[in-house]
């Protein structure tokens, strides 16, 4: 009885989360007329796989995919390099101004991106980095959330391990690389996934920081399918499905680390 | 004692940092993407509306590239995104060579010093190209500031009545010409699953009604807005009543686009809508079986409608205004207007355009062309105060309060007027 | 930590490791924020005329600013409450030894992987009162059609936000639940405490740090919500969903008053920091969160 109830609850909740996404797939396979018909079409009579090909015919969609992969990939890589290092310092070192610096770091979590946008844009224009990969990547190389996550994760690692390694004459960077990093793998999986998902879906900065269609990322490129006064729903949905696939694949690969990774960060 | 940070560590850390930093440009190189800049020489940057990428314009661009030995970088945006982009450009000083705008921005940016005066070019080439003599007067006035021309109209549109011929025939309804006839028709046309009319959630669709009621949006000499007030209230309430009292129209959904009524019309769920030529193509494409009729704007105190449409201007900091002007000249040639109209049904600002066979012989285009002479610009006096943005924000809230939330028009309008008269002063 | 690690050598190492981060945050956070503060003291379309504190006094007296702030707080409260109740309920359900729990976990988390912009467009389409698929389904089931975006706009966009984020909250709670030693529950069972009492007496108190983290993050993101208004409602109907960040964005890019917009940004920033500090203080149970 209780089990049935639990299955019912979870099954219902899963339906609610998944059905709208399936409807997005349905939209991506409808004809334009079907997307606008008087009675919403739940599933198209004959799926229009050609919609996906049309995406590439109408816009440099291949470029969008490459750009999104390069930008989100490079940013994720940077996070995986810098966030654990900084988190390690805040978890295991004592130094003047430590708490002040940490609070100052956490405060950056609370700044909405568009507040920084115009000053950043001016900065990038002065550097000549608009419409370039470095311009799209640089403002997001690290963030406070990732550093916080890694600090929480590294904190419970016994200090004795570090001291022992120091006595053995290991170098500081060596300690970080050989002792700390290997233990953070589940947290790195979580961090990598979060960072990639977030950057993959970013809209506002790629919108203002790119100046040619060839440099747009997928979310920005999708706005091309919005005509002046109406939306090409079938193509927008097809683009959304393409946008969704890489994050879903990445999630399937990292999800086994997920709960453990978070459990060990002490966020619990 | 443990060892302190060694020199080797330092080198490694430096190397790691350098690699990470260097990875960025390296990655760019790998993907083979050029890191071009907005103002790169040899590139002519144009901001364009995503819906206006016509074949006719593509042809002009190719000719322009050939003649001037430049590459045109045509960047297409939705209006709100285009504006966000443009204001960021103004802040940084890196601006495009030419901008298409949705009406109203030319004067706004002329006032703020971000648009360049084109008067010297008009003085030089005006006679030869027919500017301003061949442009409808309203399109010259709305693109001038302190006696100087700052922009050139590209499209001139207005709002008329679209109707489903079959539905009107079946209901035995004549095409309405006045507000009273319109209400009566909408009532007869409303039945099971079909609405007589669908109204737009966007506040700009308020203007045809207000101009027909003889309302002046803003009178700088008295500082009053929406006068005579009683007529403005009546016009607003008439629209709200169509929805909430007579129930001949669905409640619009607040959002960010204008396509709600067109979709209902295409889906045969609404018999009549008020819209402009931009909806001709979507209707034709999605519902080719609809017998579309286009009728002149309604008549109340007067027969009138709102003039709309887009213009082009050159940012003050653009570095090649001669090229920008050449682009404007080419794209507004009568042959180009003719080709664009043939291609899309769009309406154009030249007086000589109204006499083209493509216009006079087309049953839709002709109705629009006939309405253009009595189309009015609704926000010019507000634009010239430099307060257009605030005015639009508050107007939008007021319109939706009445239309969607069914607030009494008198109340909502009074609150709007009090606020607007405060910041316009 | 051992006292000898306090030695200056390690401090030097620490700063060296921190150097890239310090440079990065200075260039891409503090410099721009300083710029925003400077802009908040100016006025005019180019933000080039000195205004002193004028923008701040104007903002504090502006009814539209106050309204958008109240709307935002209501939105954040709805999202925080929903996140905690639904997230915890789902986490407790999935924490049971059920078949297919991994599959459920994946399915519930899937919406979190897509973008706010896409979610907004998708739900706008689904919720359309005349042409949307939801009302089609309701009518087919013999239920009355609804106009969610007109009758309860704020709750509707809060629900869409929850739809997207509840899987993430669930995972956080799940991690928390798995950290509670089984012995506590067993001991309570032996003492004869029923399930309800065990939940209130053991589970909830021991989950306090997770709940605190979830609520702090939900408040921060709730107060910064933007895409929901930008994509779904356009702030309407009327000003019913005029979320603060959306309002500030419009002051900057539609009304074009960067000085006034910057002042409102700074005020919102102060509010978010204050909220977070109060929450952390209230939730601190002998444990330092940062």
């Amino acid at each position: 009885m209780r089990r049935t109830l639990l299955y019912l609850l979870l099954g219902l909740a899963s339906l609610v989360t998944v059905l709208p996404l399936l409807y997005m797939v349905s939209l991506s396979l409808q004809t334009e007329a079907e997307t606008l018909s008087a009675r919403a079409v739940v599933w198209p009579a004959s799926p229009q796989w050609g919609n996906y090909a049309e995406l590439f015919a109408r816009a440099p969609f291949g470029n969008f995919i490459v750009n999104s992969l390069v930008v989100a990939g490079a940013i994720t890589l940077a996070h995986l390099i810098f966030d654990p290092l900084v988190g390690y310092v805040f978890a295991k070192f004592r130094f003047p101004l430590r708490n002040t610096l940490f609070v100052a770091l956490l405060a950056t979590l609370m700044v909405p991106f568009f507040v920084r946008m115009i000053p950043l844009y001016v900065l990038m224009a002065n550097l000549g980095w608009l419409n370039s990969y470095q311009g799209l990547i640089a403002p997001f190389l690290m963030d406070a959330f990732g550093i916080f996550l890694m600090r929480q994760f590294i904190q419970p690692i016994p200090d004795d391990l570090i001291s022992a390694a120091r006595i053995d004459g290991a170098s500081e960077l060596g300690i970080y690389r050989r002792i700390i990093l290997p233990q953070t793998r589940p947290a790195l999986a979580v961090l990598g996934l979060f960072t990639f998902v977030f950057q993959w879906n970013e809209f506002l900065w790629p919108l203002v920081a790119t100046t040619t269609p060839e440099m747009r990322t997928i979310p920005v490129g999708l706005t091309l399918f919005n005509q002046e006064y109406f939306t090409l729903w079938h193509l927008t949905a097809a683009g959304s499905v393409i946008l969704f696939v890489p994050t879903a694949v990445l999630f399937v690969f990292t999800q086994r680390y997920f709960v453990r990774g978070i459990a060990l960060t002490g966020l619990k | 004692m443990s060892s302190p940070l060694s020199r080797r560590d330092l080198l490694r850390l430096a190397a790691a940092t350098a690699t990470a930093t260097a990875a960025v440009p390296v990655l760019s190189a790998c993907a083979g993407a050029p890191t071009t800049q907005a103002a790169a020489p040899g590139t002519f940057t144009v901001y364009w509306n995503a819906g206006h990428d016509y074949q006719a314009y593509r042809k002009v661009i190719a000719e322009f590239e050939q003649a001037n030995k430049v590459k045109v970088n045509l960047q297409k945006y939705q209006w709100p995104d285009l504006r966000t982009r443009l204001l960021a450009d103004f802040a940084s000083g890196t601006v495009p060579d030419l901008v298409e705008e949705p009406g109203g921005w030319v004067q706004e940016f002329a006032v703020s010093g971000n648009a360049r005066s084109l008067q010297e070019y008009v003085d030089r080439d005006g006679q030869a190209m027919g500017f301003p003599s061949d442009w409808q007067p309203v399109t010259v006035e709305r693109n001038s500031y302190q006696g100087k021309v700052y922009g050139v109209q590209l499209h001139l549109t207005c709002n008329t009545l679209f109707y489903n011929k079959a539905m009107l025939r079946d209901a035995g309804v004549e095409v309405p010409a006045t507000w009273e006839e319109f209400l009566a028709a909408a009532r007869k046309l409303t039945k099971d699953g079909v609405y007589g009319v669908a109204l737009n959630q966007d506040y700009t669709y308020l203007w045809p009604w207000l101009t027909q009621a003889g309302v002046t949006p803003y009178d700088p000499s008295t500082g009053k807005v929406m006068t005579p007030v009683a007529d403005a209230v009546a016009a607003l309430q008439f629209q709200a009543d169509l929805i909430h009292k007579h129930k001949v129209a669905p409640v619009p959904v607040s959002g960010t686009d204008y396509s709600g009524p067109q979709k209902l019309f295409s889906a045969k769920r609404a018999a009549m809508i008020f819209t402009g030529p931009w909806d001709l193509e979507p209707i034709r494409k999605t519902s080719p079986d609809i017998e579309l009729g286009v009728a002149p704007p309604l008549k109340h105190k007067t027969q009138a409608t709102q003039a709309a449409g887009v213009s082009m201007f050159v940012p003050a900091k653009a570095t090649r205004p001669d090229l920008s002007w050449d682009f404007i000249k080419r794209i507004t040639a009568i042959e180009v207007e003719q080709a664009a109209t043939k291609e899309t049904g769009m309406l154009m600002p030249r007086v000589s355009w109204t006499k083209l066979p493509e216009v006079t012989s087309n049953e839709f285009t002709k109705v629009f062309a006939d309405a253009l002479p009595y189309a009015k610009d609704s926000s010019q006096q507000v634009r010239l105060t430099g307060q257009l943005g605030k005015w639009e924000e508050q107007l939008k809230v007021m319109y939706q309060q009445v239309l969607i939330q069914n607030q009494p028009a008198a109340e909502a309008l009074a609150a709007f007027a009090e606020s607007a008269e405060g910041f316009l002063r | 930590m051992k006292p000898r690690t306090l030695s200056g050598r390690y401090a030097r190492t620490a700063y060296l490791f921190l150097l890239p981060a310090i440079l990065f945050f200075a260039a891409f956070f503090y410099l721009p924020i300083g710029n925003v503060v400077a802009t908040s003291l100016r006025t005019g379309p180019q933000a080039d005329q000195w205004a002193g504190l004028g923008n701040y006094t104007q903002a504090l007296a502006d009814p539209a600013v106050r309204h958008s702030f109240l709307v935002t707080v209501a939105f954040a409260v709805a999202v925080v409450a929903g996140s905690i109740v639904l997230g915890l309920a789902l986490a407790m359900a999935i924490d049971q030894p059920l078949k297919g729990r991994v599959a459920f976990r994946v399915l519930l988390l899937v919406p979190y992987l897509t973008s706010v912009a896409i979610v907004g467009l998708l739900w706008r389409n689904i919720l359309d009162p005349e042409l949307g698929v939801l009302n089609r389904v309701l009518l087919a089931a013999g239920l009355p059609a609804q106009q969610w975006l007109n009758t309860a706009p704020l709750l509707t966009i809060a629900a869409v936000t929850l739809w997207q984020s509840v899987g993430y909250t669930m995972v956080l709670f799940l991690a928390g639940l798995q950290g509670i030693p089984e012995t506590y529950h067993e001991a309570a069972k032996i003492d004869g405490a029923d399930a309800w009492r065990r939940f209130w007496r053991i589970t909830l108190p021991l989950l306090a740090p997770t709940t605190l983290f979830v609520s702090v993050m939900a408040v921060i993101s709730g107060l910064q919500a933007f895409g929901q208004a930008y994509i779904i409602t356009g702030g309407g109907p009327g000003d019913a969903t005029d979320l603060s960040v959306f309002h500030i964005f419009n002051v900057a890019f539609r009304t074009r008053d960067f000085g006034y917009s910057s002042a409102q940004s700074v005020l919102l920033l102060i509010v978010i920091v204050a909220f977070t500090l109060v929450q952390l203080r209230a939730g601190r149970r002998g444990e330092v969160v940062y």
Side-chain angles (χ1 to χ4, degrees), chain A residues 227-231 233, chain B residues 78 200-202 205 253-261 263, chain C residues 121 124 231-232:
Chain A
Q227 295 297 319
E228 188 180 10
Y229 289 117
F230 67 109
T231 310
W233 270 113
Chain B
Q78 299 298 307
N200 210 304
Q201 58 90 22
D202 187 81
Y205 288 75
V253 187
S254 166
T256 49
D257 66 13
Y258 318 77
S259 60
K263 283 183 183 155
Chain C
L121 284 172
R124 218 185 128 59
I231 309 271
I232 305 181

Side-chain angles (χ1 to χ4, degrees), chain A residues 32-228:
Chain A
E32 192 180 350
E34 277 174 318
T35 65
L36 292 173
S37 69
R39 304 183 62 210
V41 174
V42 176
W43 191 258
S46 64
Q48 305 289 311
W49 297 102
N51 288 348
Y52 287 86
E54 205 186 332
L55 270 186
F56 290 84
R58 286 225 191 185
F61 211 84
N63 282 44
F64 300 168
I65 295 176
V66 171
N67 294 338
S68 278
L69 282 174
V70 169
V71 172
I75 292 173
T76 307
L77 198 70
H79 276 245
L80 292 178
I81 292 173
F82 290 117
D83 291 357
L85 182 66
V86 180
Y88 168 54
V89 173
F90 280 115
K92 292 298 177 192
F93 284 80
R94 291 250 165 127
F95 50 92
L97 293 180
R98 185 179 82 149
N99 285 341
T100 315
L101 284 177
F102 195 60
V103 170
L105 177 75
L106 281 188
T108 62
L109 262 183
M110 303 159 201
V111 186
F113 175 71
F114 95 91
V115 170
R116 297 191 289 145
M117 191 175 84
I118 293 274
L120 274 181
Y121 185 85
V122 175
L123 180 70
M124 291 297 166
N126 291 338
L127 288 172
W129 282 10
L130 288 178
N131 210 40
S132 71
Y133 284 134
Q134 56 268 41
L136 288 174
I137 292 167
F140 302 102
L141 284 174
M142 318 172 199
D143 70 22
F145 181 76
I147 293 170
F148 180 70
L149 199 80
M150 296 314 296
R151 172 187 173 270
Q152 295 294 95
F153 194 89
I154 292 169
Q155 216 159 32
I157 297 175
D159 289 355
D160 293 347
L161 275 180
I162 300 167
S163 324
R166 277 180 184 151
I167 289 163
D168 289 348
S171 69
E172 286 298 323
L173 207 58
I175 293 173
Y176 169 66
R177 274 181 40 203
R178 289 200 201 89
I179 298 179
I180 306 296
L181 264 191
Q183 306 207 36
T184 58
R185 213 166 281 152
L188 287 179
V190 174
L191 175 67
L193 180 71
F194 279 167
T195 310
F196 188 84
V197 167
F198 189 78
Q199 293 300 331
W200 182 256
N201 292 322
E202 170 67 25
F203 176 74
L204 207 51
W205 182 244
L207 172 74
V208 298
T210 58
T211 55
T212 56
E214 288 74 24
M215 280 303 292
R216 288 177 177 177
T217 56
I218 304 176
V220 178
L222 276 177
T223 62
L224 275 182
F225 301 113
N226 287 336
Q227 295 297 319
E228 188 180 10

Side-chain angles (χ1 to χ4, degrees), chain B residues 136-138 156-161 177 207-208 211-212 295-299 302-308 366-377:
Chain B
Q136 305 261 9
V138 64
L156 173 62
T157 63
C158 66
N159 199 295
T160 61
L161 175 66
W207 291 119
T211 49
Q212 286 156 20
L298 297 179
K299 196 187 274 179
T302 111
Q303 187 172 33
T305 186
Q306 189 205 10
K366 189 175 182 318
V367 177
F368 284 112
D370 289 345
L372 284 179
Y374 54 85
K376 295 197 176 91
D377 186 299

Side-chain angles (χ1 to χ4, degrees), chain C residues 241-278:
Chain C
T241 57
D242 192 21
L243 298 170
S244 278
V245 173
F246 182 69
H247 185 84
I248 295 172
F249 181 89
N250 278 332
V251 171
F253 291 101
R254 304 284 94 78
T255 312
R256 208 188 172 193
D257 194 340
F258 286 105
Y260 195 33
S261 164
S262 298
Q264 291 181 39
S265 301
V266 173
L267 288 175
L268 181 65
L269 201 60
I270 293 172
V271 168
I272 295 178
V273 171
F275 255 105
T276 311
L277 290 181
V278 167

